[in-house]
Amino acid sequence: MSEGKIWMDGSLVDWDNAKIHVLTHALHYATGVFEGVRCYKTVNGSAIFRLGDHIQRLMDSGRAYFMEMGYSKEQLERAAIDTVRANGMDECYIRPIAYYGYGKMGVNPLPNKVSVSIAVWKWDEYLKGGAEKGARLMVSAWARIDHRTLPMHAKATANYANSALARMEALKSGFDEAVMLNTSGMVVEASAENIFLVKGGALVTPPTSSGALGGITRDSILTLAKDRGISFEVRDISRDELYMADEVFLSGTAAEVKPVGEIDNRTIGDAGRVGPVTKKVKEVFEAAAHGKDEKFSKMWLTPIN
Ligand SMILES: Cc1ncc(COP(=O)(O)O)c(C=O)c1O
């Protein structure tokens, strides 16, 4: 990961020169907002999945932190396309970030300029647990921060200290990923993915009011489920419901649709084998992302060329 170009405040710079000052406000006070987007190799060439929705979420996240981005939504979409093109990749992960930069120290970021950058890299398997086995999860002892503490609809760097603690706890305990509960003890999401369970053929996922991020993959899955006649419910989930689910999977841009085989050492569903509904959801999601679903690929894909 040391080649290629990174877009920084309007210019494409060499990977190794994409540097910022050590007194950057966001480094000290977590005053940044970011996105994770994917570009897929599709049947009609490379295309970015739901680019407009990701850039809109970035702008919305910035609003919660009074950020003046200095770029329109269209300019940032263009910048993402230019960065992918400049790196000559047909498939990649795209990381736009906006943050309060170097200037005045102290908690108030407002005197500092907001900088924006976009990097891309190859990121194949974000979460361990192969397609057949599924990931092993543990419920974290760290409660998910909630709307009283931070704007949870914002994909802000500040939220990720909480995620990182849970993820490290899970990895050091020998698991692949953490499930986080909110301060009311209900299931929210994993450290960087939304969560779904399947019971009696229907999908269930917690509402964003639980503290879960309004995931774009989550939204795509619910939209595709509606279209394909897979029933679903958006409601609170308790920890023990996860143990008794027929199937559980995670969703996110980095992790995509990730089957879960085990939670807190309890096997999920049929001996941890990936269940039929998860398989179906994965299949329809991948078809849409790879340009094989006429209706949704057209709506959701932005071609690179
Ligand atoms: C905390 C958290 N929840 C959920 C998600 C999934 O969101 P999306 O599908 O938009 O990537 C992510 C990843 O962005 C995340 O970091």
Side-chain angles (χ1 to χ4, degrees), residues 57 144 155 160 189 191-194 213 215-217 251-253:
R57 188 170 66 184
R144 191 78 175 125
K155 190 169 164 66
Y160 286 83
E189 59 186 347
S191 75
E193 301 85 26
N194 290 112
L213 185 72
I216 289 169
T217 318
S251 75
T253 298

Side-chain angles (χ1 to χ4, degrees), residues 38 63-64 74-75 101 117 119 143 160 171 179 183 201 207 210 251 258 287:
R38 269 192 191 273
R63 261 197 289 166
E74 291 68 32
Q75 284 172 317
S117 75
Y160 286 83
L171 294 176
V179 177
T183 50
S210 70
S251 75
K258 188 77 197 175

Side-chain angles (χ1 to χ4, degrees), residues 51-284:
L51 176 61
D53 296 313
H54 281 284
I55 298 297
Q56 186 60 53
R57 188 170 66 184
L58 182 76
M59 316 267 314
D60 291 345
S61 299
R63 261 197 289 166
Y65 285 87
F66 298 103
M67 284 186 175
E68 296 288 343
M69 295 271 183
Y71 299 96
S72 66
K73 179 168 180 262
E74 291 68 32
Q75 284 172 317
L76 291 178
E77 288 177 23
R78 187 75 249 159
I81 295 169
D82 290 346
T83 312
V84 174
R85 269 204 204 151
N87 285 277
M89 287 179 169
D90 49 13
E91 283 205 295
C92 59
Y93 178 85
I94 307 167
R95 167 57 56 82
I97 183 165
Y99 57 95
Y100 283 101
Y102 167 63
K104 209 164 169 359
M105 290 304 273
V107 167
N108 174 22
L110 296 175
N112 298 357
K113 185 181 165 296
V114 173
S115 278
V116 184
S117 75
I118 305 175
V120 303
W121 62 83
K122 207 137 188 71
W123 214 0
D124 292 335
E125 197 181 53
Y126 175 72
L127 266 186
K128 282 219 296 215
E132 281 312 308
K133 232 173 64 203
R136 296 180 60 244
L137 312 188
M138 69 171 275
V139 172
S140 179
W142 293 102
R144 191 78 175 125
I145 36 179
D146 71 14
H147 298 282
R148 293 167 301 181
T149 317
L150 286 166
M152 296 304 290
H153 285 127
K155 190 169 164 66
T157 56
N159 305 0
Y160 286 83
N162 179 236
S163 289
L165 285 166
R167 185 87 198 262
M168 289 189 288
E169 179 194 35
L171 294 176
K172 284 186 174 290
S173 309
F175 293 87
D176 301 319
E177 175 58 309
V179 177
M180 304 192 73
L181 308 182
N182 59 24
T183 50
S184 307
M186 302 309 276
V187 172
V188 181
E189 59 186 347
S191 75
E193 301 85 26
N194 290 112
I195 191 163
F196 286 78
L197 67 75
V198 181
K199 194 74 181 174
L203 304 176
V204 188
T205 193
T208 56
S209 56
S210 70
L213 185 72
I216 289 169
T217 318
R218 171 185 180 275
D219 178 73
S220 306
I221 291 168
L222 294 177
T223 304
L224 288 163
K226 192 165 179 195
D227 186 71
R228 306 298 153 94
I230 302 170
S231 52
F232 63 85
E233 251 186 295
V234 177
R235 63 159 174 83
D236 282 321
I237 294 176
S238 61
R239 176 181 186 164
D240 56 347
E241 272 186 282
L242 290 180
Y243 301 158
M244 295 164 200
D246 299 334
E247 305 172 34
V248 174
F249 64 87
L250 304 178
S251 75
T253 298
E256 301 174 297
V257 176
K258 188 77 197 175
V260 171
E262 232 180 271
I263 301 176
D264 291 341
N265 296 309
R266 287 147 177 101
T267 303
I268 300 301
D270 182 15
R273 274 192 286 275
V274 180
V277 180
T278 304
K279 265 193 192 144
K280 179 82 191 159
V281 167
K282 197 168 161 56
E283 187 187 296
V284 295

